[in-house]
Amino acid sequence: MASEQVKVVTFWASPYGLRAEFALTAKGVPYQRLLEVDHWHNKSKILVESNPIPVLLHNGKPLPESLLIIEYVDEVWPSPDGKHLLPPDPYDRAMARFWFDFAEKKLNKALKSILFKKGDVQNAAVEEALRCISTLEGVLEKASSSKDAPFFGGDHIGMVDCVLGPFSLWFPAYEIIGDFKFELQEKYPHMHTWYQALRTSSVAACIPDSDKLLEFILGLRKVLCRE
Amino acid sequence: MPSSDQVQVLNTWLSMFGLRVVIALKAKGVHYEYLEQDLQNKSQLLLESNPIHKKIPVLIHNGKPVCESLIILKYIDEAWPSADASFLPKDPYDRAVTLFWADYIDKKMYDAGSRIIRSPDAEQRDQGKKDFIEVLETLDGALGDVFGGGPFFGGQSIGFVDIALAPFLCWFEVYEALGEFKVWEAAKCPLLSKWAEAVWEVPCVKEALSIAPPHKLVEFVQAMRKKMQAGS
């Protein structure tokens, strides 16, 4: 393992790339970031929608798709203190897969609409995003999440946290673009605890500067709305 | 797994996604109860088992529901592990590559096929046809370049990608009738066309696909289209 080469081809602002980085960091796997410079800036909507990053390069073998990368990382590298990204029990794994599929297909889809759209379509997307947050709040509540076990993975970062966490970094930007508030602290206390816990956990080291990220996303919105 | 295991499948004969689950259970030799659902009048069991999406298929194992067909396939493979009937390769990288292609089928195949069926005009239907052919040719290439040429994507026996793809074969006659073409004449797929013949003869696949005979699907879709046209 000493001669192992692990690289992630990504873009500094990409939440998809960050999913891969969260997974590697949570597992304690050293890796090298290969940054694609200027990936989205000044690019058209089509490129934004079909971006080919991240790619994981493990000893030269390429693997695209953030969700596949996370599962691969969990399978290849041992979990420190048994803290797997996916739980060992088949049913628990199916439930974790269901929730990250939900985060991807429902919440992420709504968040993308907030970014790309205007008017009634955007407003509907805001409503849908808040419904998804409410559902996820219920998941954490049912799992009795607390300050000691604030994550979807319980007391440690799991796959759902890797999938959802990077997109949560965009929440302040979505609020501005969609002219609404998530009101996590007031209405979704478990999600609020989760949101705060990510920022003090092991993966915090991967998180880009929030002001720089906000500026980038607002700039991206301007470009998307020009087309 | 103990024989007291209770396994139910909530599905409709019209869903290629549900047939994946049936193939998988038969491949593992798992006894199950098949419960055909009426999606126009959803049952209490379906609504309670899948409250988020309210969709089929749903696998219920000893009272616990699992939803989304590819998630169900992974669950079946993990809950009923067997050395000789494993759906996924042992090597993590090969596993990830297999899952990549199953995702590709999910993202591209259903959408293109749906556009052949549902498009209101000939232009959109033709585009659906072109995209569908492109998907088949891409899968043919993958079967050769990535999966060793066959006979199956899983090698000598069926695996995850075979199970994900096989049910779509029931719908080829529907696409052909509505798109006015012959799939294996229009698409250059020397390996995939052989795969289609071989996979249909695998006993668990043949039994599962008998739930949705192609000619019945054609009749159903044509009747539905007549109804919609009469209504408009």
Side-chain angles (χ1 to χ4, degrees):
Chain A
M1 289 275 172
S3 57
E4 208 162 36
Q5 276 215 332
V6 183
K7 302 181 192 183
V8 178
V9 181
T10 185
F11 173 60
W12 73 270
S14 165
Y16 297 99
L18 206 52
R19 286 172 171 175
E21 294 195 67
F22 270 27
L24 289 163
T25 305
K27 296 280 276 196
V29 179
Y31 65 95
Q32 191 189 346
R33 240 192 210 174
L34 296 180
L35 290 181
E36 279 207 5
V37 182
D38 227 8
H39 183 78
W40 286 339
H41 190 65
N42 292 328
K43 301 285 196 250
S44 74
K45 194 191 274 190
I46 295 169
L47 270 182
V48 173
E49 287 186 59
S50 63
N51 78 85
I53 51 166
V55 178
L56 179 78
L57 292 165
H58 183 202
N59 293 334
K61 281 189 187 172
L63 185 63
E65 303 284 349
S66 60
L67 300 180
L68 294 178
I69 292 171
I70 300 172
E71 283 214 48
Y72 176 81
V73 167
D74 200 32
E75 286 170 12
V76 169
W77 284 280
S79 308
D81 302 321
K83 292 179 177 178
H84 305 278
L85 296 177
L86 269 179
D89 174 74
Y91 189 75
D92 294 339
R93 290 163 78 81
M95 289 314 295
R97 289 190 174 117
F98 178 84
W99 288 116
F100 74 64
D101 181 72
F102 172 84
E104 183 71 347
K105 286 202 184 117
K106 291 272 202 175
L107 176 57
N108 196 17
K109 188 176 169 192
L111 294 175
K112 262 190 181 169
S113 277
I114 298 175
L115 181 64
F116 279 72
K117 307 288 184 190
K118 293 177 186 174
D120 287 342
V121 178
Q122 190 192 53
N123 292 337
V126 167
E127 296 300 321
E128 175 67 1
L130 291 173
R131 268 193 296 271
C132 291
I133 296 287
S134 175
T135 300
L136 291 167
E137 171 73 14
V139 174
L140 286 174
E141 201 176 359
K142 200 171 166 197
S144 309
S145 85
S146 63
K147 281 211 163 67
D148 295 326
F151 305 112
F152 288 91
D155 63 356
H156 64 278
I157 300 270
M159 185 145 175
V160 179
D161 305 289
C162 290
V163 170
L164 193 50
F167 279 87
S168 74
L169 303 180
W170 288 45
F171 281 8
Y174 292 130
E175 286 179 328
I176 295 172
I177 293 167
D179 191 24
F180 74 105
K181 293 280 177 204
F182 280 100
E183 294 181 290
L184 290 187
Q185 195 165 11
E186 298 86 341
K187 291 187 176 159
Y188 311 109
H190 293 88
M191 286 295 291
H192 175 72
T193 304
W194 169 81
Y195 186 81
Q196 299 298 326
L198 273 179
R199 281 143 188 79
T200 54
S201 70
S202 59
V203 299
C206 311
I207 293 175
D209 176 74
S210 51
D211 290 335
K212 198 175 163 202
L213 185 62
L214 181 63
E215 195 191 327
F216 169 80
I217 300 167
L218 295 179
L220 180 65
R221 165 73 179 182
K222 279 207 184 91
V223 168
L224 293 170
C225 284
R226 264 208 302 265
E227 296 180 354
Chain B
M1 278 273 161
S3 56
S4 56
D5 254 352
Q6 267 216 326
V7 180
Q8 293 163 307
V9 176
L10 306 186
N11 187 40
T12 149
W13 72 288
L14 295 168
S15 167
M16 61 278 277
F17 301 103
L19 290 186
R20 291 169 166 176
V21 177
V22 175
I23 295 174
L25 289 170
K26 286 183 186 292
K28 293 279 190 175
V30 175
H31 293 291
Y32 62 93
E33 188 187 2
Y34 180 91
L35 298 169
E36 179 72 24
Q37 301 295 300
D38 176 2
L39 295 185
Q40 305 308 318
N41 189 15
K42 290 179 181 177
S43 68
Q44 201 53 35
L45 183 59
L46 174 57
L47 295 173
E48 281 170 5
S49 312
N50 193 355
I52 300 286
H53 301 301
K54 304 181 178 60
K55 283 185 181 173
I56 50 88
V58 180
L59 177 83
I60 308 177
H61 185 195
N62 293 332
K64 292 191 204 171
V66 184
C67 310
E68 299 295 304
S69 65
L70 294 187
I71 294 177
I72 298 172
L73 288 195
K74 286 175 196 168
Y75 176 76
I76 292 172
D77 204 30
E78 290 170 6
W80 288 278
S82 58
D84 54 348
S86 195
F87 300 156
L88 290 167
K90 283 201 173 57
D91 176 74
Y93 186 77
D94 294 341
R95 203 151 50 230
V97 168
T98 300
L99 293 174
F100 173 87
W101 285 102
D103 276 344
Y104 172 82
I105 291 164
D106 260 13
K107 282 182 186 136
K108 302 280 186 179
M109 184 83 145
Y110 180 75
D111 174 66
S114 284
R115 278 185 283 131
I116 299 174
I117 296 175
R118 289 176 217 262
S119 288
D121 59 66
E123 199 186 319
Q124 285 184 54
R125 193 164 47 245
D126 282 345
Q127 189 56 50
K129 222 162 81 183
K130 276 200 188 94
D131 293 341
F132 178 73
I133 289 167
E134 195 183 309
V135 170
L136 290 181
E137 289 177 350
T138 304
L139 288 169
D140 184 84
L143 184 51
D145 299 338
V146 179
F147 294 97
F152 305 111
F153 287 88
Q156 292 305 310
S157 57
I158 59 167
F160 204 89
V161 175
D162 303 285
I163 299 173
L165 187 56
F168 282 89
L169 294 173
C170 297
W171 285 79
F172 278 20
E173 272 185 42
V174 178
Y175 303 147
E176 287 178 330
L178 293 173
E180 290 170 349
F181 71 121
K182 287 289 177 198
V183 170
W184 302 120
E185 285 172 17
K188 296 178 196 62
C189 297
L191 292 175
L192 199 67
S193 51
K194 281 207 188 79
W195 168 85
E197 280 176 24
V199 83
W200 211 307
E201 292 310 311
V202 176
C204 57
V205 175
K206 199 175 193 136
E207 277 172 38
L209 299 197
S210 69
I211 291 172
H215 67 277
K216 277 216 162 115
L217 285 171
V218 172
E219 271 167 32
F220 176 85
V221 172
Q222 283 175 338
M224 249 208 5
R225 283 169 67 87
K226 272 206 183 92
K227 239 194 228 169
M228 281 169 64
Q229 279 157 6
S232 60

